[in-house]
């Protein structure tokens, strides 16, 4: 072994590393799922006559959801899907057993029954449960044992979600938002570096494709944010869940608008590169001013993402000051670019549409990142949620009054 190689981790180091991750959402969810499966198996061993009641831990794993909100909203449908699959498998095993054609019939019947009992997105789990049970259920005498195991797993899974609060997925969503902002800022920096030199059509088109790929990144962040929003609903460990959800959601909406505008700007620069194949896109003075402008915009996007994620972890006052400073410098650079482009239009008036579109895109990004507009959007979302909550409570009161009259 080389002398400079690091020593292998000891048991103490491994234990300390595991303890340091005890609050990680993935670790917490894995422990919860494992605990629910083991407890349901132990209970099923005592209540079921089967030597290996694996249907109980299977059901518990399916019922234990990532968030408490998804448990309460989808747990019943998931239990229905498992019970339906078990009953179908028991019926087929009592009649024909397991063959290639009975397996096909089980899958077809499970999918049809799944739609009939309205389990929605859990229709495939009806067939999955039926196939798993069919593989271990060969005689009709075990039918009630399988139903009992399913109910044990469902009750244990629901109890674990109610007694042990699921993890909050805000930090992973914040990291996803920061990653999206970093990719957008890197794209702006790359576009800025090309403005002061001769840019080929291939290079400009490469930036355009990179801007288009931001759509996939936004979809991934949206998925992580939905999970975080569900983890904040009905969670006893979170006091201001609504505010956290609105801060992250409105922040992602702003970044999505900026990504669309950035793609339009990349399209305009690509068209300009086609029109000026043998010369730089802009004069040296204009290109330098544009490079400064895009650089300040990239820093502003960074500061904006840190601001909306800091509001769910630490004090955001420092990030707000930094964002305000970067936006002020960006607006000064924008005014300088506008004056320089106006002078350049006198020698090349044919490009006035592209120049105007570029400035309009810059204005839209700066307006979306503005601190005051962000506060206004938050207030509008809070008002909207308040109105919806009042409407829901009003409908409930009217329904109670109608029921009392009857």
């Amino acid at each position: 072994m080389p002398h400079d190689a690091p020593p292998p981790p000891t048991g103490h180091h491994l234990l300390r590393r595991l303890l340091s991750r005890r609050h990680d959402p993935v670790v917490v969810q894995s422990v919860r799922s494992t605990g629910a499966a083991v407890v349901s198996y132990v209970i099923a061993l005592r209540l079921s006559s089967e030597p290996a009641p694996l249907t109980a831990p299977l059901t518990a794993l399916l019922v234990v959801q990532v968030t408490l909100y998804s448990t309460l909203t989808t747990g019943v449908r998931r239990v229905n899907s498992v019970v339906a699959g078990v009953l179908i498998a028991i019926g087929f095993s009592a009649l024909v057993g397991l063959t290639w054609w009975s397996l096909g019939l089980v899958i077809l019947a499970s999918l049809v029954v799944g739609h009939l009992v309205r389990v929605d997105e859990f229709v495939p789990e009806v067939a999955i449960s039926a196939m798993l049970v069919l593989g271990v259920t060969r005689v009709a005498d075990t039918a009630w044992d399988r139903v009992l195991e399913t109910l044990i797993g469902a009750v244990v899974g629901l109890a674990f979600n109610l007694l042990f609060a699921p993890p909050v997925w805000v930090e992973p969503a914040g990291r996803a938002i920061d990653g999206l902002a970093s990719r957008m800022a890197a794209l702006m920096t790359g576009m800025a570096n090309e403005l002061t030199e001769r840019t080929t059509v291939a290079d400009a088109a490469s930036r355009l494709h990179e801007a288009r790929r931001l759509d996939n990144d936004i979809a991934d962040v949206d998925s992580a944010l939905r999970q975080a929003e569900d983890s904040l609903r009905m969670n006893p460990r979170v006091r201001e869940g609504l505010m956290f959800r609105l801060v992250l959601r409105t922040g992602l909406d702003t970044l999505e608008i900026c990504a669309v505008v950035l793609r339009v700007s990349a399209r305009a620069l690509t068209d300009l590169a086609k029109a000026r194949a043998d010369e730089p896109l802009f004069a040296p003075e204009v290109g330098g001013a544009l490079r400064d402008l895009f650089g300040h915009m990239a820093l502003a996007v960074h500061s904006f993402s840190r601001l909306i994620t800091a509001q769910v972890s630490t004090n955001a006052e420092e990030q707000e000051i930094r964002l305000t400073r970067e936006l002020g410098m960006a607006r000064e650079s924008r005014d300088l670019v506008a004056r320089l482009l106006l002078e350049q239009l006198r020698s090349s008036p044919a490009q006035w549409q592209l120049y105007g579109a570029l400035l309009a895109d810059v204005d839209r990004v700066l307006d979306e990142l503005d601190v005051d507009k962000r506060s206004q959007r938050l207030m509008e979302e809070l008002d909207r949620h308040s109105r919806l909550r009042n409407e829901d409570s009003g409908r409930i009161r009217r329904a109670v009054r109608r029921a009392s009259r009857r």
Side-chain angles (χ1 to χ4, degrees), residues 55-307:
T55 308
L58 165 68
T59 308
L61 286 175
L62 294 176
V63 171
V64 174
Q65 295 296 297
V66 176
T67 66
L68 182 62
Y69 176 77
S70 59
T71 297
L72 298 177
T73 55
T74 66
V76 175
R77 295 201 304 273
R78 190 179 287 270
V79 171
N80 289 340
S81 66
V82 175
V83 172
V86 170
L87 294 178
I88 292 173
I90 290 172
F92 271 82
S93 64
L95 296 176
V96 296
L98 179 61
T99 61
W100 66 268
W101 56 269
S102 65
L103 177 64
L105 289 178
V106 165
I107 296 175
L108 179 61
S110 300
L111 296 177
V112 173
V113 171
H115 288 286
L116 292 177
V117 298
R118 299 180 182 275
V119 294
D120 298 337
E121 69 270 25
F122 301 125
V123 169
E125 290 188 6
V126 180
I128 293 173
S129 302
M131 287 188 292
L132 291 176
V133 175
L134 185 63
V136 295
T137 304
R138 297 298 181 87
V139 294
D141 295 338
T142 61
W144 294 113
D145 289 329
R146 297 302 175 188
V147 175
L148 176 62
E149 294 167 18
T150 301
L151 295 177
I152 291 173
V155 171
V156 171
L158 291 174
F160 258 71
N161 283 317
L162 294 175
L163 296 178
F164 303 100
V168 178
W169 297 84
V170 172
E171 289 187 6
R175 290 195 297 268
I177 291 176
D178 282 337
L180 172 63
S182 298
R183 288 186 289 274
M184 293 174 59
L187 177 59
M188 290 181 179
T189 303
M191 294 170 60
N193 293 332
E194 294 178 352
L195 295 175
T196 56
E197 57 188 26
R198 181 181 177 274
T199 303
T200 63
V201 177
D203 292 337
S206 177
R207 296 296 179 188
L208 177 59
H209 292 310
E210 187 176 349
R212 289 170 176 169
R213 284 194 294 269
L214 290 175
D215 291 342
N216 298 329
D217 298 331
I218 291 173
D220 295 337
V221 176
D222 182 71
S223 177
L225 185 53
R226 284 199 303 270
Q227 187 179 59
E229 290 172 339
D230 289 346
S231 69
L232 293 172
R233 292 187 176 100
M234 303 180 184
N235 197 317
R237 294 187 297 171
V238 181
R239 294 183 178 180
E240 299 181 358
L242 177 60
M243 179 58 70
F244 290 165
R245 283 157 40 202
L246 294 182
V247 167
L248 294 176
R249 175 56 64 183
T250 54
L252 178 60
D253 291 342
T254 298
L255 291 178
E256 184 176 4
I257 294 173
C258 293
V260 173
V261 176
L262 190 59
R263 185 169 67 245
V264 175
S265 299
R267 174 78 265 179
L269 292 177
T270 303
D271 294 339
L272 189 60
K274 292 178 181 178
R276 297 192 168 191
D278 298 329
E279 57 186 33
L281 298 183
F282 300 95
E285 187 178 6
V286 178
L290 280 171
R291 183 181 59 187
D292 294 339
L293 172 59
F294 275 84
H296 290 307
M297 289 171 57
L299 293 176
V301 169
H302 261 306
S303 300
F304 180 83
S305 68
R306 298 295 171 83
L307 172 62

Side-chain angles (χ1 to χ4, degrees), residues 327-344:
L327 288 176
M329 298 174 67
R331 290 190 174 96
E332 292 178 1
S333 298
R334 185 267 176 204
D335 295 338
L336 176 60
V337 169
R339 291 194 298 268
L340 295 176
L341 286 178
L342 183 60
E343 296 177 0
Q344 187 169 341

